[in-house]
Amino acid sequence: MKDTKIPSPFVSLLPVLVLILLLFVTIRTFGSDALAGGSQVCLLTATAVCVLIGMGGYKRAWKDFELAITNNIAGVSTALIILLIIGALSGAWMISGVVPTLIYYGIQVIHPHFFLVCTCLICAIVSVMTGSSWTTIATIGIALMGIGKAQGFSEGWIAGAIISGAYFGDKVSPLSDTTILASSVTDTPLFSHIRYLMITTVPSLIITLIIFTIAGLSHEATDTGHIAEYTQVLSSKFDITWWLMIVPVVTAILIARKVPSIITLFISTLLAAVFAVIFQPELLREIAGQGVEGIAGLFKGGMGMLFGGTQLETGSNEINELISTRGMAGMMNTIWLIICAMCFGGAMTAGGMLGSITSVFVRFTKKRIGMVSSTVASGLFLNLATADQYISIILTGNMFKDIYEKNGYESKLLSRTTEDSVTVTSPLIPWNTCGMTQATILSVPTLVYLPYSFFNLISPLMSITVAVIGYKIKRKVSE
């Protein structure tokens, strides 16, 4: 019987508390360099504490932990491949001139007073069409980041607008894997789930857009001389041409035709690499270094653009930083961190600690408000503990499905609340796969953009607010 004994919630919280304490000290000590190894050590240490408690105090077998960790890592293997391709894509889009061209024309077209609200809307539209926040942020998001910097906005505000818009589409698009997962886990028809989501999602987005509009109107626009400097430097360093827009157009077509993400990103990267050879051969030779000429220089520069970091000299420190890339190698710290996070999530699951903690939330499900609030709290906690939104969606849906059923509520209330609490909060957690990925892609620490990701912050609160009001929340009609 000892083998089936479940740790108490207090004991189960010990690894989480150890992780939070270690991460706090590490981030305070290393700052933005915490992702270079310190955070990974924290996660593995917390994993070791979890295993020690499970094996020493509750007679859990090591094979149980090993299997859970292996399954967790296998579950994110596709995401790791996507991350590597995104690293190559970001380098190719930048050096080929695609992103500089978007920035060049964007800072002349989008007025600074409406930049933040336009950024949020553009990312929302693109993410609805793509069904992917990652793809949206890795493509149009990077370009908008450059435009915002040129117009004098802080990194936190820009990244917050990008992420707010991108996760709107990730939450409601019928092409989104999280949308499909939340509906399928709770046995809710997909479009019924999406329609019901709109009750909380649309008001959250409207409030977000109002905030960004007010912030934009309050922004002191960068003088036109500064914008002129950006355009002049970009046009002198890159061959700016509308032909480069073929790359994002082709990418959009592939997305519209529902080509798998990995294939879409790969083709987009390959096409950008070809355009880099055609339009920016001198930049490729600059990356290759002195003494490498001709085709060899183009090949070496092209490979370096894809797998390594690039630092081009433009005469402006701001633009040097803007057009620098990290390539596939720049994603390795994030991949390392994700693997360590999956070890922690697997150990917590195998040790029975995750189930023990989440059972606490289940106790407050007697009434509608308590039930929805418990679901939100559980989703947030699982995002913190498992470091993966997919695992959190599955666990939240399975844990509360019978409770909603017993209380007579429709499954779409559970599916909506799950997305309101899990999908949108995942990029706000530094060690979550989404938080790590977006911080890496945008080169903005998670805690820097967190206060400005208004859509992501408002959504869970809106879910609880609608539960308090009771709007469109009905009990199932017994047959």
Side-chain angles (χ1 to χ4, degrees):
M1 294 298 292
K2 281 187 176 181
D3 291 343
T4 59
K5 189 177 178 183
I6 303 296
S8 69
F10 175 76
V11 173
S12 300
L13 274 173
L14 290 178
V16 180
L17 295 175
V18 169
L19 175 60
I20 293 172
L21 179 62
L22 288 174
L23 285 172
F24 175 78
V25 175
T26 301
I27 293 171
R28 286 290 297 270
T29 304
F30 293 95
S32 60
D33 292 331
L35 294 181
S39 296
Q40 288 88 331
V41 174
C42 293
L43 283 161
L44 291 180
T45 302
T47 302
V49 171
C50 185
V51 173
L52 181 64
I53 293 172
M55 294 182 67
Y58 297 89
K59 308 301 180 184
R60 301 277 175 173
W62 165 246
K63 285 187 177 180
D64 293 339
F65 288 99
E66 190 175 31
L67 180 62
I69 290 171
T70 302
N71 288 339
N72 262 17
I73 294 174
V76 297
S77 57
T78 300
L80 300 183
I81 295 172
I82 289 175
L83 263 178
L84 286 173
I85 299 176
I86 285 175
L89 179 141
S90 62
W93 272 46
M94 184 64 74
I95 303 303
S96 66
V98 172
V99 172
T101 298
L102 288 170
I103 295 172
Y104 179 86
Y105 291 112
I107 59 178
Q108 299 176 66
V109 173
I110 302 177
H111 193 281
H113 284 166
F114 301 102
F115 168 76
L116 291 175
V117 68
C118 286
T119 293
C120 187
L121 280 172
I122 290 169
C123 289
I125 293 169
V126 173
S127 61
V128 168
M129 292 190 300
T130 63
S132 171
S133 56
W134 287 27
T135 302
T136 302
I137 293 168
T139 52
I140 193 65
I142 293 175
L144 289 166
M145 197 77 200
I147 295 170
K149 286 182 178 180
Q151 294 184 342
F153 287 95
S154 68
E155 291 181 336
W157 276 102
I158 307 167
I162 293 169
I163 287 169
S164 291
Y167 275 85
F168 169 81
D170 200 326
K171 185 181 173 187
V172 303
S173 172
L175 305 178
S176 169
D177 45 9
T178 56
T179 306
I180 295 169
L181 182 61
S183 63
S184 60
V185 167
T186 57
D187 296 325
T188 305
L190 178 60
F191 287 99
S192 176
H193 166 62
I194 292 173
R195 284 193 297 270
Y196 205 58
L197 261 177
M198 293 300 179
I199 296 172
T200 57
T201 305
V202 172
S204 298
L205 182 65
I206 290 172
I207 295 171
T208 299
L209 294 175
I210 291 171
I211 294 172
F212 283 132
T213 300
I214 294 171
L217 293 173
S218 305
H219 175 70
E220 293 184 9
T222 303
D223 59 78
T224 55
H226 189 59
I227 293 177
E229 178 191 349
Y230 263 71
T231 56
Q232 191 276 324
V233 173
L234 287 173
S235 61
S236 63
K237 190 67 179 180
F238 294 89
D239 183 358
I240 303 294
T241 170
W242 283 104
W243 286 108
L244 291 167
M245 292 300 96
I246 292 176
V247 177
V249 168
V250 169
T251 304
I253 292 172
L254 292 173
I255 291 168
R257 295 181 66 85
K258 302 180 183 179
V259 176
S261 297
I262 290 180
I263 297 175
T264 297
L265 293 171
F266 182 82
I267 293 174
S268 181
T269 302
L270 186 62
L271 185 60
V274 171
F275 275 46
V277 173
I278 297 172
F279 294 103
Q280 321 295 343
E282 293 304 318
L283 292 184
L284 294 180
R285 294 190 180 97
E286 181 180 335
I287 295 170
Q290 294 182 348
V292 186
E293 302 294 337
I295 296 177
L298 294 176
F299 179 78
K300 184 178 180 180
M303 292 293 284
M305 167 188 74
L306 296 173
F307 71 75
T310 62
Q311 294 285 340
L312 300 176
E313 180 55 50
T314 64
S316 168
N317 291 331
E318 288 183 354
I319 298 181
N320 288 349
E321 181 182 347
L322 176 65
I323 64 174
S324 64
T325 67
R326 290 182 290 180
M328 296 172 74
M331 296 293 175
M332 295 312 296
N333 279 343
T334 303
I335 290 173
W336 179 20
L337 193 62
I338 289 173
I339 292 173
C340 293
M342 291 302 100
C343 291
F344 177 67
M348 286 289 290
T349 302
M353 298 174 192
L354 210 55
S356 177
I357 296 170
T358 52
S359 66
V360 174
F361 299 113
V362 175
R363 298 174 187 173
F364 303 98
T365 58
K366 300 295 183 182
K367 297 181 180 179
R368 181 185 70 237
I369 299 171
M371 185 177 64
V372 171
S373 299
S374 295
T375 308
V376 170
S378 179
L380 286 168
F381 171 77
L382 288 168
N383 252 343
L384 288 163
T386 67
D388 183 78
Q389 63 176 345
Y390 300 109
I391 297 173
S392 300
I393 288 172
I394 292 170
L395 291 177
T396 302
N398 288 331
M399 185 168 58
F400 285 92
K401 187 187 297 183
D402 290 340
I403 295 172
Y404 278 70
E405 179 74 25
K406 286 180 181 178
N407 289 334
Y409 288 100
E410 298 173 308
S411 62
K412 62 184 179 181
L413 177 59
L414 172 58
S415 64
R416 182 181 75 187
T417 308
T418 299
E419 283 236 72
D420 283 339
S421 60
V422 177
T423 302
V424 295
T425 60
S426 57
L428 306 182
I429 300 167
W431 58 87
N432 190 283
T433 51
C434 292
M436 291 181 279
T437 299
Q438 311 320 345
T440 302
I441 293 173
L442 297 174
S443 298
V444 181
T446 309
L447 296 180
V448 172
Y449 67 66
L450 186 154
Y452 307 103
S453 302
F454 299 110
F455 176 77
N456 308 68
L457 294 169
I458 293 169
S459 290
L461 300 176
M462 185 62 67
S463 193
I464 296 173
T465 301
V466 172
V468 171
I469 298 171
Y471 181 70
K472 293 286 187 179
I473 297 179
K474 301 176 182 178
R475 293 180 184 271
K476 290 189 293 185
V477 178
S478 57
E479 296 180 0

